[in-house]
Amino acid sequence: MLRKIVIFKGNQIIYKREYGETFSWEAISPLLTSLTYFLEETKEDVAADILNTVFYKIAYSTNKNQGLLYILITDIGDPDEVIAEQIQSFNMAVSKILEGA
Amino acid sequence: MNGKLPDLDVKAIQGIDEVYGKKLNELGISTIKDLAACDIQEVAKKTKIPLHKIIEFRKKARLVRELIFFESFIKKLAEKNYTIQQAIEIDIEDLKKLTGESEKRCLDFLQQLAIITLILDANVCNSTSTAILQTQPYVSEIPLPEETCIAIDEIADQVFLELPAKIAIIGASGVGKSTITALVQNEKVPEKHIPTITCDVDEIVIGGAQNIYLHDTGGQEQFGFLWGRWVKGADGIVLVVDSTKENLKESKFFIELIQKETPKASVVIIANKQDLPGALSPEEIEKELGYKTYPMVAIDRNRREELLTIFANLIKLSPRLTNLIPTQVKQDTVIKEQEREIEITPELEKQIDDVQKEIDAIDKQIAEIKEKIKAQQELGEPFYKLNADLLVAKLKKRKAQQRIRALLMAGGESKVLAYDVHQEMRNVTYVIRCECGHIYKTLAKIKRGLKKLELICPLCQTKFEVPKNTWKELYLAAFPD
C-alpha cells in the first residue's frame, strides 16, 4: 500500500500527501536530506530506485531539469516492479503539471 | 542565545578560527546554514582557504541537516539551563529522571548529541544553551498553489489505487469471518453458516481509502494447505476467534502460521460472538494469543463503524482517510435507505449514454496505450511517458464512472441535506450530498460581507456553492442585526 508521497524542490517540500502512517520525521529526515543532497550532486536523472527498510520501501525518482525529487513510501510487501512503474509515471505526469504551473 | 543550530555563526564550527571566519563573512557566509549551501570551489578560490578545509567545514555544516533532536529532551534541558557541554556530559540515569523517557530514547538522544562534538567548537558547547539544539528537518515546506495541489492529488490518488493494500481474514471454520466481511461491505449478514470455498477476495472502502483487498479465507481444514499462501504478502491480518476455549487452542496454529509466513504484517484479533454466554473476554484472549484483541458481535450492524476503524488502525491509515469513516457509514446507510426503482427518463438516459460513450473512448485509449507499452517492452525501450499517459487515462475513466453514479444517485445535483449555525462563532455545520454521491460534513465560517460560500467535495473535488436561498437563511441567522 502506498503510504506517503513527497515532492522536493531543492530542500523544500512543495507537496506531500499521506495515506498511512510511516516513519516519524525524526527518523526519516536524515535520509530525505541525504537524498536532496544527492539530487544536488548527481549529474543524471534517476528514473526509479528503491531502498528497503524493515517495514517500508522508499522509492525515489528525480527530474534534474526542474530540480525535483519524488519520493514514494510504500509497504514492504509491495512489488518493486509496480512501485518503479508508478513512481516513474508519477514523475512524468506531475512534472508536466508543474511545468505548466 | 536564541535561534536554531543552523543559525549559529560559522565560527562555531570546529576548525574555523577568527581568520577563516572573517574571510567567509566577507563572502556573505555568516551562518552554518550559509556554509552548508556554499560552492566549495568558488569559496576556496576567493578566500584562499585550502580546498580540503572548505570541504571539511561544509561537511560539518551539512551534518547539522541530519540532526533531529527529540523536542521533549531539548525542552527539559533548556528549562534547567543546561549548556550543550553539560548535556553531553549528563549521566543517563539523571537524563531518564529529568525527561521521564525510556533508556533507549535517552541513549538515542545522547548518540545524537555525540555528533555535535564533531561539529561545534568546544568553547561554543561550553557557553551555549541546549535551546539552540531546536533543530527541525532542514527541509522547509513551501506548498504549491491550491489548484496545482488538487491536480497533483488526483494523480497521487490514482497511484494509490495502483498499489492496493491486502487484508487477510483468517481463522477456524465457523468463527464469523464471512460475517465480518459482509459487515465491512454493508451487505446482508448470512443467516446461517455457509463455509467459504477457498478464498473470497473483495475490494472494500475504508473511510476515504479505496482499493483495499479483503481476502476472506476458507477456514475448513481441507483448505489448510492454502492458508500460508493467502496470508503471504498481506499488509494486515485479522485473526477471528469465536471466544470459546476450544477455538482459542485451535487459533494458536494460526498464530504460528502468521509468524512463519508474514512476520512483518500487522495483526489484530477479533473476538467475535461476544454476545454468547460464556464468551472469553478480549483481555483473556489477548493474554493467551499475544496480539491486540477487539470484542465484536459481527451480526450487529451498528458495529460497522467500529469494525471499519479496527481495519483502518490495522493498516495504519492516515487520519485524513480514517476521519471519513463515520461519513462513509452514514452515506452507506442513506444510500441503502434510498435504494429504489430509479426512473430512467429519456433525459437521464441520454446523459448516462453520453458519459458511457466517453468511457468507451477512454477504454479504447487505454487499450492503445497498453499495446504501445507492450511494443516498447519487447524492444527493451523505456515506456515511462506512456505509463504516465496510462495513469492520466485511468484517472479520467474513474471520474467519468463517478459521474454516472452521481447521475443515478442524485439526479446530477449537489444538495445540502442539513445544516446548523453556531451563531456566536458564525460557524456553520453542513451535511452535503455531492453530485458524486458522497455525503460529507463540513464546517465553514461566515464572515460579514461574504457574498457566497464555496465548498469542495473531499472525494471528487467538485466545487459546490451553497444554494442562494440556503445562503440567505444562513447569513441572516449568523448576522440577525
Side-chain angles (χ1 to χ4, degrees):
Chain A
M1 178 182 132
L2 176 65
R3 295 204 161 262
K4 200 179 213 144
I5 288 184
V6 186
I7 305 176
F8 283 85
K9 192 174 177 83
N11 72 338
Q12 289 169 342
I13 295 176
I14 57 170
Y15 175 85
K16 65 179 182 190
R17 195 153 171 84
E18 212 170 81
Y19 297 92
E21 288 174 17
T22 58
F23 309 102
S24 64
W25 264 117
E26 288 156 348
I28 199 177
S29 188
L31 178 62
L32 294 184
T33 49
S34 295
L35 284 173
T36 59
Y37 178 29
F38 166 75
L39 177 67
E40 286 168 22
E41 301 287 306
T42 192
K43 288 187 171 55
E44 305 226 335
D45 266 328
V46 171
D49 199 5
I50 300 173
L51 312 170
N52 286 335
T53 68
V54 179
F55 293 108
Y56 306 111
K57 290 186 179 180
I58 301 172
Y60 65 94
S61 179
T62 63
N63 180 328
K64 273 205 75 70
N65 202 27
Q66 292 179 277
L68 299 169
L69 171 66
Y70 296 87
I71 291 175
L72 258 57
I73 302 177
T74 72
D75 280 320
I76 197 74
D78 289 316
D80 281 2
E81 318 80 60
V82 178
I83 298 171
E85 209 176 279
Q86 290 308 311
I87 196 171
Q88 283 163 99
S89 309
F90 186 68
N91 182 337
M92 286 260 164
V94 174
S95 296
K96 213 169 165 180
I97 293 174
L98 294 176
E99 215 170 10
Chain B
M1 186 185 292
N2 293 324
K4 300 187 178 66
L5 191 54
D7 301 328
L8 277 180
D9 192 285
V10 276
K11 290 195 286 295
I13 298 271
Q14 240 184 61
I16 299 181
D17 56 18
E18 284 291 335
V19 173
Y20 284 162
K22 192 177 174 192
K23 287 182 180 182
L24 289 168
N25 286 161
E26 281 164 8
L27 266 187
I29 299 169
S30 49
T31 65
I32 292 182
K33 195 175 170 182
D34 296 334
L35 183 55
C38 76
D39 181 322
I40 46 176
Q41 303 269 16
E42 198 188 315
V43 171
K45 195 172 156 186
K46 290 186 178 168
T47 61
K48 310 288 182 213
I49 299 173
L51 183 64
H52 71 275
K53 288 264 179 201
I54 305 282
I55 293 172
E56 184 200 324
F57 297 151
R58 193 178 77 162
K59 196 169 177 181
K60 284 177 178 169
R62 284 187 169 185
L63 256 181
V64 167
R65 290 196 296 196
E66 295 170 13
L67 292 173
I68 309 294
F69 295 98
F70 300 133
E71 208 180 311
S72 54
F73 282 76
I74 300 301
K75 212 171 163 185
K76 289 271 163 55
L77 289 167
E79 272 167 16
K80 299 280 179 189
N81 296 319
Y82 271 76
T83 62
I84 298 175
Q85 188 59 37
Q86 286 169 337
I88 289 167
E89 289 171 356
I90 198 170
D91 182 70
I92 190 165
E93 291 301 323
D94 293 336
L95 188 60
K96 276 163 74 176
K97 274 187 205 145
L98 179 65
T99 58
E101 299 272 2
S102 68
E103 186 161 314
K104 190 186 178 310
R105 286 267 287 184
C106 289
L107 278 171
D108 286 344
F109 175 71
L110 289 173
Q111 204 172 337
Q112 291 286 67
L113 263 191
I115 298 173
I116 280 292
T117 59
L118 299 173
I119 299 170
L120 296 181
D121 182 74
N123 290 329
V124 171
C125 291
N126 273 322
S127 59
T128 311
S129 163
T130 41
I132 204 83
L133 298 176
Q134 285 167 41
T135 47
Q136 285 175 357
Y138 199 63
V139 294
S140 52
E141 277 191 50
I142 300 186
L144 294 164
E146 194 183 333
E147 274 184 15
T148 315
C149 280
I150 289 173
I152 300 176
D153 282 348
E154 291 177 341
I155 312 263
D157 288 349
Q158 194 60 35
V159 172
F160 177 69
L161 293 181
E162 302 289 336
L163 286 162
K166 173 182 170 183
I167 298 177
I169 300 188
I170 60 173
S173 181
V175 294
K177 299 185 294 299
S178 299
T179 310
I180 282 172
T181 304
L183 184 59
V184 163
Q185 296 178 88
N186 200 33
E187 282 173 5
K188 196 175 169 198
V189 161
E191 282 167 17
K192 57 180 184 174
H193 178 225
I194 303 166
T196 307
I197 307 297
T198 64
C199 179
D200 290 337
V201 182
D202 296 297
E203 191 180 334
I204 63 169
V205 174
I206 301 178
Q210 295 174 313
N211 218 27
I212 296 171
Y213 286 92
L214 194 59
H215 293 239
D216 174 17
T217 62
Q220 292 185 316
E221 283 212 30
Q222 59 185 299
F223 304 121
F225 69 100
L226 291 170
W227 287 331
R229 180 186 286 191
W230 289 331
V231 299
K232 220 178 183 73
D235 301 301
I237 298 177
V238 178
L239 172 59
V240 183
V241 301
D242 68 5
S243 308
T244 60
K245 279 191 183 143
E246 299 74 32
N247 181 240
L248 200 60
K249 282 189 199 150
E250 287 176 315
S251 299
K252 286 186 181 173
F253 165 78
F254 288 101
I255 297 290
E256 284 169 15
L257 179 79
I258 292 166
Q259 286 167 351
K260 184 183 163 201
E261 298 288 345
T262 50
K264 292 182 185 173
S266 300
V267 180
V268 294
I269 298 173
I270 289 184
N272 197 20
K273 306 192 185 184
Q274 285 286 297
D275 56 332
L276 295 180
L280 295 171
S281 71
E283 291 77 24
E284 285 173 290
I285 296 169
E286 186 170 330
K287 197 176 171 187
E288 201 56 40
L289 297 180
Y291 287 103
K292 178 79 186 148
T293 304
Y294 296 91
M296 186 50 60
V297 178
I299 54 174
D300 182 357
R301 298 203 74 80
N302 294 324
R303 298 187 75 155
R304 186 169 173 243
E305 188 175 323
E306 188 186 334
L307 189 61
L308 286 171
T309 307
I310 292 170
F311 277 49
N313 291 338
L314 170 66
I315 55 174
K316 300 190 191 76
L317 277 184
S318 137
R320 178 176 68 80
L321 300 171
T322 312
N323 286 343
L324 291 173
I325 288 176
T327 310
Q328 177 198 357
V329 168
K330 184 170 179 172
Q331 176 185 355
D332 290 346
T333 310
V334 168
I335 288 169
K336 265 251 175 323
E337 284 166 5
Q338 291 196 354
E339 258 168 13
R340 63 195 188 283
E341 278 292 315
I342 297 168
E343 192 200 339
I344 309 280
T345 60
E347 195 189 319
L348 184 60
E349 194 178 338
K350 185 174 181 322
Q351 282 177 315
I352 294 172
D353 197 44
D354 287 343
V355 180
Q356 193 55 58
K357 281 182 184 152
E358 245 184 80
I359 292 175
D360 292 342
I362 296 170
D363 274 338
K364 203 175 162 193
Q365 196 188 5
I366 289 175
E368 280 169 11
I369 296 172
K370 283 184 175 173
E371 281 297 321
K372 285 181 187 170
I373 290 175
K374 198 176 166 190
Q376 293 285 86
Q377 277 175 321
E378 278 165 10
L379 291 170
E381 286 184 13
F383 49 90
Y384 317 129
K385 189 184 176 307
L386 289 168
N387 253 342
D389 293 340
L390 185 63
L391 203 64
V392 172
K394 282 183 178 180
L395 176 62
K396 277 189 194 160
K397 180 177 173 179
R398 189 160 68 96
K399 282 170 126 174
Q401 284 166 334
Q402 278 177 339
R403 277 179 10 236
I404 291 190
R405 189 172 159 228
L407 284 169
L408 287 169
M409 277 301 310
E413 286 173 25
S414 300
K415 285 183 188 167
V416 170
L417 297 179
Y419 64 82
D420 69 294
V421 181
H422 305 273
Q423 202 169 19
E424 294 286 318
M425 295 169 68
R426 311 280 190 257
N427 280 352
V428 186
T429 310
Y430 296 92
V431 177
I432 301 162
R433 180 168 58 213
C434 177
E435 62 179 37
C436 74
H438 181 61
I439 298 176
Y440 64 104
K441 193 174 174 181
T442 191
L443 198 69
K445 284 194 177 138
I446 303 177
K447 291 179 190 165
R448 198 179 285 276
L450 191 65
K451 292 276 183 258
K452 63 176 182 177
L453 197 64
E454 212 172 59
L455 305 160
I456 300 179
C457 173
L459 265 197
C460 71
Q461 310 300 325
T462 304
K463 282 188 187 166
F464 171 79
E465 205 177 298
V466 178
K468 266 189 190 153
N469 287 342
T470 311
W471 175 239
K472 198 174 170 184
E473 275 173 43
L474 292 171
Y475 198 87
L476 288 174
F479 299 105
D481 52 338

